[in-house]
Amino acid sequence: MNINKEVYVIGVYPPPYGGATVKCELFCKMLKNVGIIANRIDIYEASRNKTKIIGILKMCIKAYKSNNPVVYCLDSKRLRVMVFLQRMFKKSFANTTILVIGGIFHETVAEHPAFEKCMKSVNGVWVETEGMKENLLKSGFENVEIFPNPKSQIGNCYPQNAQKNKELKLVYFSQISREKGVEEIIKLVGLLNNKTEISYKLDFYGHIVPEVKDEFDKFINNSLNVNYCGIFDSTKSSVYKKLNEYDILLFPTRWKGEGVPGILVEAKMAGVAVIASPMNFNKEIVCENMNEGFILEKEYPQEMLNIIERCYKDRDLLDRMKMGSYQSRKRYALEEYEDMIEKL
């Protein structure tokens, strides 16, 4: 154990809501688990309080000048800004690791040659999917590794059997926004309500973005089988245990930046079947041929309805998907990546 080892983690920390903040928080906990001290530098603090910009820059320069590893956990836009600052301390690139957020990093470096050159000189670029790694290798990168947004297996939940003729329990567990597919689910509910033979309930968890709040509130108020359950506090309750109460997770995202969405990993740990859109690398995460869930094609609401109807009528199919999802959790088990962390 590296008891006296320190790592500077330059990222964004809660609030706000989002995958980047969760990933930063989890990564710092991983460092602690293997005996490494995480010195956090919160770039988002500069947005909350402009007077702290100089102080944050000084902390970053201190990190670059140290002999300790530097880890970035930032979206591509903020990462480019920080890396160009770091070019004044080029020797520090040898100690720098990029914890890539989302699924379009390979496109970003292709569009910015100077940034790409910097990324090729850092110690490591940790991407979330095999597809991203392949794209970077084709561009001449030699420092790429897979770090697929893993989650701890501690507290994972064996799938609950789907009981015949009981209502299907559906859940949406992401930011409530157009990009994440909330409009597709609103349309789905309209289709479901016309199928009177399908008994279901649908719960929403997540932060509601302002641009859809009025529309979403109206939808909730007018829907008998649908509930908004607020923002789930994972510091007080187990996400896995809560998700385990449901049969199917709905994830019809249209966000072009998806990498490995944390909720898809959490669904595996919770033994829940998944219906997901084909955005970016979702087909790699939810493998239909391994019975891990269902991937949509184009007509999301109608396709979701068709899948839900199949699962409602065929509970053995639903049980197979729930078990397949659960068995695939090991690919994303945090414990499998502790050696990578220690090698920092």
Side-chain angles (χ1 to χ4, degrees), residues 58-270:
K58 286 181 178 180
M59 286 191 289
C60 290
I61 291 170
K62 179 183 177 181
Y64 304 147
K65 287 183 174 181
S66 75
N67 292 319
N68 292 316
V70 174
V71 175
Y72 284 110
C73 188
L74 294 170
D75 61 85
S76 294
K77 184 177 180 180
R78 291 189 176 100
L79 177 60
R80 285 174 54 213
V81 173
M82 298 312 301
V83 165
F84 288 143
L85 169 66
Q86 190 179 356
R87 285 194 301 179
M88 293 186 289
F89 310 91
K90 286 186 178 180
K91 289 183 178 180
S92 64
F93 280 158
N95 295 326
T96 297
T97 298
I98 311 299
L99 204 61
V100 173
I101 302 295
I104 58 171
F105 177 81
H106 57 290
E107 297 177 10
T108 301
V109 295
E111 293 168 359
H112 301 90
F115 180 54
E116 180 181 43
K117 184 177 180 181
C118 292
M119 291 297 93
K120 287 181 177 178
S121 65
V122 300
N123 178 55
V125 176
W126 293 8
V127 296
E128 296 183 350
T129 69
E130 290 288 349
M132 289 181 67
K133 180 178 180 178
E134 289 176 11
N135 278 303
L136 291 174
L137 291 177
K138 289 177 183 176
S139 298
F141 278 76
E142 298 178 350
N143 55 352
V144 187
E145 295 190 64
I146 302 293
F147 188 73
N149 202 8
K151 307 286 183 182
S152 176
Q153 286 200 88
I154 296 172
N156 70 78
C157 299
Y158 195 82
Q160 294 191 37
N161 287 335
Q163 298 181 9
K164 192 174 182 180
N165 297 325
K166 294 287 185 179
E167 69 177 4
L168 277 187
K169 297 178 181 178
L170 313 175
V171 65
Y172 175 91
F173 213 104
S174 299
Q175 181 191 81
I176 296 170
S177 64
R178 290 190 174 88
E179 291 84 358
K180 286 289 186 174
V182 69
E183 289 182 326
E184 314 297 337
I185 298 180
I186 291 174
K187 293 175 184 176
L188 166 66
V189 168
L191 295 174
L192 275 169
N193 290 341
N194 290 328
K195 291 277 186 177
T196 55
E197 71 276 15
I198 299 178
S199 176
Y200 77 96
K201 82 164 189 174
L202 168 61
D203 289 343
F204 281 83
Y205 293 84
H207 170 64
I208 307 171
V209 300
E211 67 176 14
V212 302
K213 189 175 188 321
D214 290 343
E215 177 186 357
F216 184 73
D217 287 346
K218 183 178 179 180
F219 161 67
I220 293 294
N221 292 334
N222 293 333
S223 302
L224 294 177
N225 300 324
V226 183
N227 299 293
Y228 174 59
C229 304
I231 299 169
F232 189 84
D233 189 345
S234 59
T235 64
K236 296 180 179 178
S237 304
S238 166
V239 175
Y240 304 159
K241 190 173 180 180
K242 175 52 67 176
L243 286 173
N244 184 252
E245 297 175 7
Y246 298 90
D247 296 306
I248 302 174
L249 172 79
L250 304 178
F251 191 68
T253 179
R254 291 189 183 274
W255 185 48
K256 65 178 183 179
E258 298 287 6
V260 173
I263 187 59
L264 294 187
V265 179
E266 288 161 346
K268 294 175 184 292
M269 299 295 177

Side-chain angles (χ1 to χ4, degrees), residues 275-312:
I275 301 176
S277 70
M279 286 302 294
N280 285 7
F281 304 99
N282 282 354
K283 288 184 179 180
E284 182 180 318
I285 304 158
V286 180
C287 300
E288 282 190 300
N289 60 353
M290 298 295 288
N291 289 332
E292 297 174 11
F294 305 90
I295 293 293
L296 304 170
E297 294 181 5
K298 293 181 180 179
E299 301 298 328
Y300 294 0
Q302 184 61 50
E303 290 172 35
M304 282 191 288
L305 174 67
N306 295 343
I307 293 166
I308 289 168
E309 187 171 19
R310 283 174 59 198
C311 289
Y312 186 78

